[in-house]
Amino acid sequence: MPPPPPPPPLPSSSDTSSVENNARNMPSASSLSSDTSSVENKSSNLFGKDKPKLSVTSLNAWFAGKIALKNINIDIKQNCVTALIGPSGCGKTTLLRCINRMHEMTPRASVEGQIILDDLNIYDKSSDPVIVKRRMGMVFQKPNPFPTMSIYDNVASGLKLNGIKNKTLIKNVVEESLEGAGLWDEVKNDLAKPGISLSGGQQQRLCIARALAMQPEILLMDEPTSALDPTASSKIEELISNLKKNLTVIIVTHNMQQAARVSDYTAFMYLGELIEYGHTAQIFKNPAKELTERYISGKFG
Amino acid sequence: MARLIDLGLNQLTIIILDMASIAEKTVIKSITSYKEDNMEATKEIFKTSAKLRFLQDEVSELTTELIARFQPVATDLRYIKSCMEISYGFSRFGRYAYDIIDTLEIFGPLELCDKSLVISMSEIVLEMMNTGVSALRLLDNSLSNKIYEMENYVDILYKKSLREFAANIKVNPVYSDNRCNISSALILKYLERISDHSCYIADSVNYIVTGLSSPRR
């Protein structure tokens, strides 16, 4: 009896057909995720709750003529955490940046295809990128609070930039956002202190609070814990689980265990293609694709 | 390049295959001793049964360590989970082998009893064990169906035999020595349990290979 048998060589990216690449028909699988009950799923279908929050169709993206995303099709479910995993350079961050229209801001970058946010085609000519970005918060790998601003002003900055002057309203939103980010109790007496005086983990939660202040519908997180220690990472992970009650989270992570812990759905990308997408429990217990199995088991290379 | 977890998985495989071999030999020894009315092997069977129990603990420790250190997923995870269950199965084989020889010890020499029913069922069960171990060695889930079919037959045979023993007792209400019927019934029960655990091993092989739980359930 072997330990698990040696896998076949990696297929080239062209081996993954576009049919396989379509992640619309997600497999049903029992899991610890929030939407496991078939009865619940059936009833939510009746009321249209299963309609995706974000639907990506035939998305291609290029950097300087070089293709970075190939025919991506994926439906992101509302109030769920979706993890994007895959080796460096596979297109995870590019997909995230396409979703909030940051990709097109890069010189010589281009994108084609469709991304529907609720009923809005965000790449439609009539669609305003500023409004799209306002509906989506983004948290980056390294905490990036505004260095010259206080904790309070970091969170309030988005509101002020959007012309909100009502001080009571701003104060309430700042408090709610800091609470939402699990930071209020730690900073409520130090709101005037500089944001960068906080620890790394607190700074990252401050950035999350700053994103939450704009009341986004989707929170995009690009390796939000890769620069944090295990305790701070753990707090962010707990926070992610809480946040999904009110918004939809898409997280890029290189940490397989983190993806397994925090997400309801996982998408595995490789060389710009979406290889497999499904319930997180299914992906990590019984992936359908050999390539996924090899990546998550550390059998690459 | 081998992954660090592969060292642990290889070690796990060595222990499991060792258990398979010991368990198979122990059950064969026990049945042979029963057939020959030979109680000399009791101590040896007790020892190997205890060894299987010890190896099961070792598997449990190793699997826990592998999970804690490597957080395995996919095939690795299924393999480790299955090894826990399979090692329990082999440990039970040892226990039932001991129970069989212990029956002989308790009831005394049974050379006058008709042992044909027990012997014929034991032949099927030994084949089931052997097929289960082969399925495990080769990770070949195509052998599962054969084991499931044999288990159905063992179940039928077991119930039929018990009814026959009951009928024997009724026919001879004044017969004072029912040792043959009772000892046979007990041993058939142990064989039936071995048959069940052979199926669980087939289930585990199926789970490792396909990721699906037993098709029987």
PDB file of all heavy atoms in Angstrom, chain B residues 11-40:
ATOM      1  N   GLN B  11       5.782   5.906   7.143  1.00  0.00           N
ATOM      2  CA  GLN B  11       5.862   5.211   8.437  1.00  0.00           C
ATOM      3  C   GLN B  11       4.487   4.632   8.801  1.00  0.00           C
ATOM      4  O   GLN B  11       4.371   3.493   9.261  1.00  0.00           O
ATOM      5  CB  GLN B  11       6.309   6.222   9.498  1.00  0.00           C
ATOM      6  CG  GLN B  11       6.862   5.576  10.746  1.00  0.00           C
ATOM      7  CD  GLN B  11       7.230   6.617  11.793  1.00  0.00           C
ATOM      8  OE1 GLN B  11       7.457   7.784  11.475  1.00  0.00           O
ATOM      9  NE2 GLN B  11       7.276   6.201  13.040  1.00  0.00           N
ATOM     10  N   LEU B  12       3.456   5.425   8.533  1.00  0.00           N
ATOM     11  CA  LEU B  12       2.080   4.988   8.803  1.00  0.00           C
ATOM     12  C   LEU B  12       1.746   3.733   7.979  1.00  0.00           C
ATOM     13  O   LEU B  12       1.174   2.760   8.489  1.00  0.00           O
ATOM     14  CB  LEU B  12       1.144   6.151   8.429  1.00  0.00           C
ATOM     15  CG  LEU B  12      -0.287   6.136   8.914  1.00  0.00           C
ATOM     16  CD1 LEU B  12      -0.354   5.974  10.417  1.00  0.00           C
ATOM     17  CD2 LEU B  12      -0.991   7.436   8.504  1.00  0.00           C
ATOM     18  N   THR B  13       2.143   3.775   6.723  1.00  0.00           N
ATOM     19  CA  THR B  13       1.879   2.640   5.831  1.00  0.00           C
ATOM     20  C   THR B  13       2.561   1.377   6.347  1.00  0.00           C
ATOM     21  O   THR B  13       1.964   0.291   6.343  1.00  0.00           O
ATOM     22  CB  THR B  13       2.395   2.961   4.409  1.00  0.00           C
ATOM     23  OG1 THR B  13       1.759   4.146   3.975  1.00  0.00           O
ATOM     24  CG2 THR B  13       2.094   1.839   3.431  1.00  0.00           C
ATOM     25  N   ILE B  14       3.794   1.540   6.803  1.00  0.00           N
ATOM     26  CA  ILE B  14       4.551   0.367   7.311  1.00  0.00           C
ATOM     27  C   ILE B  14       3.814  -0.243   8.514  1.00  0.00           C
ATOM     28  O   ILE B  14       3.621  -1.462   8.581  1.00  0.00           O
ATOM     29  CB  ILE B  14       5.992   0.778   7.686  1.00  0.00           C
ATOM     30  CG1 ILE B  14       6.787   1.074   6.405  1.00  0.00           C
ATOM     31  CG2 ILE B  14       6.691  -0.310   8.501  1.00  0.00           C
ATOM     32  CD1 ILE B  14       8.112   1.783   6.633  1.00  0.00           C
ATOM     33  N   ILE B  15       3.361   0.610   9.420  1.00  0.00           N
ATOM     34  CA  ILE B  15       2.669   0.080  10.611  1.00  0.00           C
ATOM     35  C   ILE B  15       1.364  -0.607  10.217  1.00  0.00           C
ATOM     36  O   ILE B  15       1.042  -1.697  10.696  1.00  0.00           O
ATOM     37  CB  ILE B  15       2.379   1.202  11.640  1.00  0.00           C
ATOM     38  CG1 ILE B  15       3.667   1.895  12.073  1.00  0.00           C
ATOM     39  CG2 ILE B  15       1.656   0.639  12.864  1.00  0.00           C
ATOM     40  CD1 ILE B  15       3.452   3.109  12.972  1.00  0.00           C
ATOM     41  N   ILE B  16       0.616   0.029   9.329  1.00  0.00           N
ATOM     42  CA  ILE B  16      -0.689  -0.525   8.932  1.00  0.00           C
ATOM     43  C   ILE B  16      -0.504  -1.892   8.253  1.00  0.00           C
ATOM     44  O   ILE B  16      -1.235  -2.849   8.538  1.00  0.00           O
ATOM     45  CB  ILE B  16      -1.431   0.465   7.992  1.00  0.00           C
ATOM     46  CG1 ILE B  16      -1.914   1.689   8.789  1.00  0.00           C
ATOM     47  CG2 ILE B  16      -2.591  -0.202   7.268  1.00  0.00           C
ATOM     48  CD1 ILE B  16      -3.085   1.455   9.704  1.00  0.00           C
ATOM     49  N   LEU B  17       0.476  -1.978   7.375  1.00  0.00           N
ATOM     50  CA  LEU B  17       0.691  -3.259   6.685  1.00  0.00           C
ATOM     51  C   LEU B  17       1.196  -4.328   7.648  1.00  0.00           C
ATOM     52  O   LEU B  17       0.854  -5.510   7.519  1.00  0.00           O
ATOM     53  CB  LEU B  17       1.654  -3.082   5.506  1.00  0.00           C
ATOM     54  CG  LEU B  17       1.089  -2.267   4.336  1.00  0.00           C
ATOM     55  CD1 LEU B  17       2.090  -2.182   3.199  1.00  0.00           C
ATOM     56  CD2 LEU B  17      -0.220  -2.865   3.823  1.00  0.00           C
ATOM     57  N   ASP B  18       1.968  -3.890   8.609  1.00  0.00           N
ATOM     58  CA  ASP B  18       2.429  -4.804   9.650  1.00  0.00           C
ATOM     59  C   ASP B  18       1.210  -5.330  10.425  1.00  0.00           C
ATOM     60  O   ASP B  18       1.076  -6.545  10.673  1.00  0.00           O
ATOM     61  CB  ASP B  18       3.371  -4.021  10.582  1.00  0.00           C
ATOM     62  CG  ASP B  18       4.190  -4.932  11.472  1.00  0.00           C
ATOM     63  OD1 ASP B  18       4.320  -6.100  11.116  1.00  0.00           O
ATOM     64  OD2 ASP B  18       4.686  -4.467  12.516  1.00  0.00           O
ATOM     65  N   MET B  19       0.316  -4.422  10.771  1.00  0.00           N
ATOM     66  CA  MET B  19      -0.908  -4.819  11.490  1.00  0.00           C
ATOM     67  C   MET B  19      -1.741  -5.797  10.660  1.00  0.00           C
ATOM     68  O   MET B  19      -2.281  -6.777  11.178  1.00  0.00           O
ATOM     69  CB  MET B  19      -1.769  -3.587  11.821  1.00  0.00           C
ATOM     70  CG  MET B  19      -1.217  -2.692  12.912  1.00  0.00           C
ATOM     71  SD  MET B  19      -2.358  -1.367  13.346  1.00  0.00           S
ATOM     72  CE  MET B  19      -3.480  -2.228  14.463  1.00  0.00           C
ATOM     73  N   ALA B  20      -1.833  -5.501   9.352  1.00  0.00           N
ATOM     74  CA  ALA B  20      -2.627  -6.366   8.458  1.00  0.00           C
ATOM     75  C   ALA B  20      -2.097  -7.794   8.505  1.00  0.00           C
ATOM     76  O   ALA B  20      -2.859  -8.766   8.651  1.00  0.00           O
ATOM     77  CB  ALA B  20      -2.570  -5.821   7.031  1.00  0.00           C
ATOM     78  N   SER B  21      -0.783  -7.886   8.419  1.00  0.00           N
ATOM     79  CA  SER B  21      -0.157  -9.204   8.396  1.00  0.00           C
ATOM     80  C   SER B  21      -0.371  -9.927   9.731  1.00  0.00           C
ATOM     81  O   SER B  21      -0.755 -11.117   9.756  1.00  0.00           O
ATOM     82  CB  SER B  21       1.327  -8.995   8.085  1.00  0.00           C
ATOM     83  OG  SER B  21       2.013 -10.167   8.285  1.00  0.00           O
ATOM     84  N   ILE B  22      -0.151  -9.217  10.828  1.00  0.00           N
ATOM     85  CA  ILE B  22      -0.320  -9.841  12.157  1.00  0.00           C
ATOM     86  C   ILE B  22      -1.775 -10.257  12.375  1.00  0.00           C
ATOM     87  O   ILE B  22      -2.062 -11.360  12.852  1.00  0.00           O
ATOM     88  CB  ILE B  22       0.130  -8.858  13.273  1.00  0.00           C
ATOM     89  CG1 ILE B  22       1.622  -8.569  13.171  1.00  0.00           C
ATOM     90  CG2 ILE B  22      -0.211  -9.408  14.655  1.00  0.00           C
ATOM     91  CD1 ILE B  22       2.099  -7.429  14.065  1.00  0.00           C
ATOM     92  N   ALA B  23      -2.696  -9.363  12.000  1.00  0.00           N
ATOM     93  CA  ALA B  23      -4.124  -9.633  12.236  1.00  0.00           C
ATOM     94  C   ALA B  23      -4.570 -10.870  11.464  1.00  0.00           C
ATOM     95  O   ALA B  23      -5.267 -11.745  11.999  1.00  0.00           O
ATOM     96  CB  ALA B  23      -4.943  -8.421  11.829  1.00  0.00           C
ATOM     97  N   GLU B  24      -4.146 -10.937  10.215  1.00  0.00           N
ATOM     98  CA  GLU B  24      -4.535 -12.071   9.379  1.00  0.00           C
ATOM     99  C   GLU B  24      -4.015 -13.387   9.976  1.00  0.00           C
ATOM    100  O   GLU B  24      -4.762 -14.355  10.130  1.00  0.00           O
ATOM    101  CB  GLU B  24      -3.954 -11.873   7.975  1.00  0.00           C
ATOM    102  CG  GLU B  24      -5.002 -11.980   6.883  1.00  0.00           C
ATOM    103  CD  GLU B  24      -4.406 -11.817   5.495  1.00  0.00           C
ATOM    104  OE1 GLU B  24      -3.375 -11.129   5.356  1.00  0.00           O
ATOM    105  OE2 GLU B  24      -4.987 -12.397   4.564  1.00  0.00           O
ATOM    106  N   LYS B  25      -2.746 -13.388  10.329  1.00  0.00           N
ATOM    107  CA  LYS B  25      -2.134 -14.605  10.883  1.00  0.00           C
ATOM    108  C   LYS B  25      -2.803 -15.001  12.194  1.00  0.00           C
ATOM    109  O   LYS B  25      -3.001 -16.195  12.472  1.00  0.00           O
ATOM    110  CB  LYS B  25      -0.628 -14.369  11.130  1.00  0.00           C
ATOM    111  CG  LYS B  25       0.201 -14.460   9.878  1.00  0.00           C
ATOM    112  CD  LYS B  25       1.668 -14.213  10.208  1.00  0.00           C
ATOM    113  CE  LYS B  25       2.459 -13.983   8.929  1.00  0.00           C
ATOM    114  NZ  LYS B  25       3.683 -13.252   9.157  1.00  0.00           N
ATOM    115  N   THR B  26      -3.152 -14.006  12.991  1.00  0.00           N
ATOM    116  CA  THR B  26      -3.744 -14.298  14.303  1.00  0.00           C
ATOM    117  C   THR B  26      -5.114 -14.953  14.160  1.00  0.00           C
ATOM    118  O   THR B  26      -5.436 -15.920  14.863  1.00  0.00           O
ATOM    119  CB  THR B  26      -3.860 -12.985  15.129  1.00  0.00           C
ATOM    120  OG1 THR B  26      -2.605 -12.347  15.126  1.00  0.00           O
ATOM    121  CG2 THR B  26      -4.289 -13.257  16.554  1.00  0.00           C
ATOM    122  N   VAL B  27      -5.911 -14.413  13.248  1.00  0.00           N
ATOM    123  CA  VAL B  27      -7.256 -14.994  13.055  1.00  0.00           C
ATOM    124  C   VAL B  27      -7.129 -16.420  12.505  1.00  0.00           C
ATOM    125  O   VAL B  27      -7.822 -17.344  12.959  1.00  0.00           O
ATOM    126  CB  VAL B  27      -8.114 -14.097  12.132  1.00  0.00           C
ATOM    127  CG1 VAL B  27      -9.444 -14.780  11.819  1.00  0.00           C
ATOM    128  CG2 VAL B  27      -8.365 -12.742  12.787  1.00  0.00           C
ATOM    129  N   ILE B  28      -6.221 -16.601  11.544  1.00  0.00           N
ATOM    130  CA  ILE B  28      -6.024 -17.948  10.980  1.00  0.00           C
ATOM    131  C   ILE B  28      -5.600 -18.924  12.088  1.00  0.00           C
ATOM    132  O   ILE B  28      -6.143 -20.029  12.202  1.00  0.00           O
ATOM    133  CB  ILE B  28      -4.974 -17.924   9.838  1.00  0.00           C
ATOM    134  CG1 ILE B  28      -5.542 -17.176   8.635  1.00  0.00           C
ATOM    135  CG2 ILE B  28      -4.548 -19.338   9.436  1.00  0.00           C
ATOM    136  CD1 ILE B  28      -4.528 -16.873   7.542  1.00  0.00           C
ATOM    137  N   LYS B  29      -4.676 -18.482  12.906  1.00  0.00           N
ATOM    138  CA  LYS B  29      -4.170 -19.322  13.992  1.00  0.00           C
ATOM    139  C   LYS B  29      -5.308 -19.705  14.950  1.00  0.00           C
ATOM    140  O   LYS B  29      -5.434 -20.857  15.390  1.00  0.00           O
ATOM    141  CB  LYS B  29      -3.075 -18.554  14.761  1.00  0.00           C
ATOM    142  CG  LYS B  29      -2.453 -19.292  15.882  1.00  0.00           C
ATOM    143  CD  LYS B  29      -1.023 -19.608  15.488  1.00  0.00           C
ATOM    144  CE  LYS B  29      -0.398 -20.581  16.451  1.00  0.00           C
ATOM    145  NZ  LYS B  29       0.736 -21.266  15.913  1.00  0.00           N
ATOM    146  N   SER B  30      -6.124 -18.725  15.249  1.00  0.00           N
ATOM    147  CA  SER B  30      -7.217 -18.950  16.186  1.00  0.00           C
ATOM    148  C   SER B  30      -8.220 -19.969  15.649  1.00  0.00           C
ATOM    149  O   SER B  30      -8.662 -20.886  16.356  1.00  0.00           O
ATOM    150  CB  SER B  30      -7.895 -17.603  16.468  1.00  0.00           C
ATOM    151  OG  SER B  30      -8.951 -17.781  17.343  1.00  0.00           O
ATOM    152  N   ILE B  31      -8.563 -19.812  14.378  1.00  0.00           N
ATOM    153  CA  ILE B  31      -9.548 -20.729  13.780  1.00  0.00           C
ATOM    154  C   ILE B  31      -8.959 -22.142  13.661  1.00  0.00           C
ATOM    155  O   ILE B  31      -9.635 -23.141  13.935  1.00  0.00           O
ATOM    156  CB  ILE B  31     -10.022 -20.192  12.407  1.00  0.00           C
ATOM    157  CG1 ILE B  31     -10.899 -18.952  12.652  1.00  0.00           C
ATOM    158  CG2 ILE B  31     -10.814 -21.238  11.638  1.00  0.00           C
ATOM    159  CD1 ILE B  31     -11.196 -18.148  11.436  1.00  0.00           C
ATOM    160  N   THR B  32      -7.703 -22.199  13.276  1.00  0.00           N
ATOM    161  CA  THR B  32      -7.049 -23.510  13.187  1.00  0.00           C
ATOM    162  C   THR B  32      -7.036 -24.190  14.558  1.00  0.00           C
ATOM    163  O   THR B  32      -7.308 -25.404  14.682  1.00  0.00           O
ATOM    164  CB  THR B  32      -5.593 -23.354  12.674  1.00  0.00           C
ATOM    165  OG1 THR B  32      -5.632 -22.563  11.503  1.00  0.00           O
ATOM    166  CG2 THR B  32      -4.962 -24.686  12.363  1.00  0.00           C
ATOM    167  N   SER B  33      -6.723 -23.419  15.578  1.00  0.00           N
ATOM    168  CA  SER B  33      -6.684 -23.983  16.941  1.00  0.00           C
ATOM    169  C   SER B  33      -8.061 -24.484  17.357  1.00  0.00           C
ATOM    170  O   SER B  33      -8.186 -25.550  17.973  1.00  0.00           O
ATOM    171  CB  SER B  33      -6.218 -22.922  17.934  1.00  0.00           C
ATOM    172  OG  SER B  33      -4.939 -22.502  17.607  1.00  0.00           O
ATOM    173  N   TYR B  34      -9.081 -23.731  17.025  1.00  0.00           N
ATOM    174  CA  TYR B  34     -10.455 -24.157  17.339  1.00  0.00           C
ATOM    175  C   TYR B  34     -10.777 -25.465  16.608  1.00  0.00           C
ATOM    176  O   TYR B  34     -11.291 -26.425  17.200  1.00  0.00           O
ATOM    177  CB  TYR B  34     -11.449 -23.050  16.940  1.00  0.00           C
ATOM    178  CG  TYR B  34     -12.877 -23.519  16.870  1.00  0.00           C
ATOM    179  CD1 TYR B  34     -13.618 -23.764  18.024  1.00  0.00           C
ATOM    180  CD2 TYR B  34     -13.497 -23.728  15.632  1.00  0.00           C
ATOM    181  CE1 TYR B  34     -14.935 -24.201  17.954  1.00  0.00           C
ATOM    182  CE2 TYR B  34     -14.802 -24.163  15.550  1.00  0.00           C
ATOM    183  CZ  TYR B  34     -15.527 -24.397  16.713  1.00  0.00           C
ATOM    184  OH  TYR B  34     -16.827 -24.831  16.638  1.00  0.00           O
ATOM    185  N   LYS B  35     -10.410 -25.477  15.316  1.00  0.00           N
ATOM    186  CA  LYS B  35     -10.691 -26.652  14.493  1.00  0.00           C
ATOM    187  C   LYS B  35     -10.007 -27.889  15.077  1.00  0.00           C
ATOM    188  O   LYS B  35     -10.580 -28.969  15.147  1.00  0.00           O
ATOM    189  CB  LYS B  35     -10.183 -26.392  13.066  1.00  0.00           C
ATOM    190  CG  LYS B  35     -10.781 -27.286  12.031  1.00  0.00           C
ATOM    191  CD  LYS B  35     -10.721 -26.719  10.618  1.00  0.00           C
ATOM    192  CE  LYS B  35      -9.357 -26.345  10.119  1.00  0.00           C
ATOM    193  NZ  LYS B  35      -9.341 -25.958   8.696  1.00  0.00           N
ATOM    194  N   GLU B  36      -8.786 -27.705  15.548  1.00  0.00           N
ATOM    195  CA  GLU B  36      -7.991 -28.835  16.045  1.00  0.00           C
ATOM    196  C   GLU B  36      -8.133 -29.049  17.549  1.00  0.00           C
ATOM    197  O   GLU B  36      -7.428 -29.877  18.137  1.00  0.00           O
ATOM    198  CB  GLU B  36      -6.516 -28.611  15.686  1.00  0.00           C
ATOM    199  CG  GLU B  36      -6.277 -28.648  14.180  1.00  0.00           C
ATOM    200  CD  GLU B  36      -4.887 -28.142  13.796  1.00  0.00           C
ATOM    201  OE1 GLU B  36      -4.144 -27.707  14.713  1.00  0.00           O
ATOM    202  OE2 GLU B  36      -4.578 -28.176  12.601  1.00  0.00           O
ATOM    203  N   ASP B  37      -9.001 -28.240  18.146  1.00  0.00           N
ATOM    204  CA  ASP B  37      -9.223 -28.348  19.594  1.00  0.00           C
ATOM    205  C   ASP B  37      -7.907 -28.174  20.370  1.00  0.00           C
ATOM    206  O   ASP B  37      -7.663 -28.860  21.365  1.00  0.00           O
ATOM    207  CB  ASP B  37      -9.821 -29.734  19.911  1.00  0.00           C
ATOM    208  CG  ASP B  37     -11.141 -29.587  20.639  1.00  0.00           C
ATOM    209  OD1 ASP B  37     -11.805 -28.553  20.446  1.00  0.00           O
ATOM    210  OD2 ASP B  37     -11.483 -30.485  21.419  1.00  0.00           O
ATOM    211  N   ASN B  38      -7.125 -27.225  19.908  1.00  0.00           N
ATOM    212  CA  ASN B  38      -5.791 -27.034  20.466  1.00  0.00           C
ATOM    213  C   ASN B  38      -5.723 -25.702  21.223  1.00  0.00           C
ATOM    214  O   ASN B  38      -5.805 -24.639  20.613  1.00  0.00           O
ATOM    215  CB  ASN B  38      -4.786 -27.073  19.310  1.00  0.00           C
ATOM    216  CG  ASN B  38      -3.376 -26.755  19.762  1.00  0.00           C
ATOM    217  OD1 ASN B  38      -3.111 -26.663  20.965  1.00  0.00           O
ATOM    218  ND2 ASN B  38      -2.495 -26.585  18.810  1.00  0.00           N
ATOM    219  N   MET B  39      -5.566 -25.787  22.541  1.00  0.00           N
ATOM    220  CA  MET B  39      -5.567 -24.566  23.342  1.00  0.00           C
ATOM    221  C   MET B  39      -4.170 -24.001  23.581  1.00  0.00           C
ATOM    222  O   MET B  39      -4.008 -23.002  24.254  1.00  0.00           O
ATOM    223  CB  MET B  39      -6.244 -24.833  24.682  1.00  0.00           C
ATOM    224  CG  MET B  39      -7.762 -24.856  24.541  1.00  0.00           C
ATOM    225  SD  MET B  39      -8.571 -25.100  26.110  1.00  0.00           S
ATOM    226  CE  MET B  39      -8.628 -26.859  26.238  1.00  0.00           C
ATOM    227  N   GLU B  40      -3.170 -24.646  22.995  1.00  0.00           N
ATOM    228  CA  GLU B  40      -1.793 -24.208  23.249  1.00  0.00           C
ATOM    229  C   GLU B  40      -1.494 -22.804  22.733  1.00  0.00           C
ATOM    230  O   GLU B  40      -0.619 -22.113  23.252  1.00  0.00           O
ATOM    231  CB  GLU B  40      -0.815 -25.195  22.605  1.00  0.00           C
ATOM    232  CG  GLU B  40      -0.586 -26.415  23.453  1.00  0.00           C
ATOM    233  CD  GLU B  40       0.235 -27.469  22.725  1.00  0.00           C
ATOM    234  OE1 GLU B  40       0.883 -27.120  21.715  1.00  0.00           O
ATOM    235  OE2 GLU B  40       0.190 -28.638  23.146  1.00  0.00           O
TER     236      GLU B  40
END
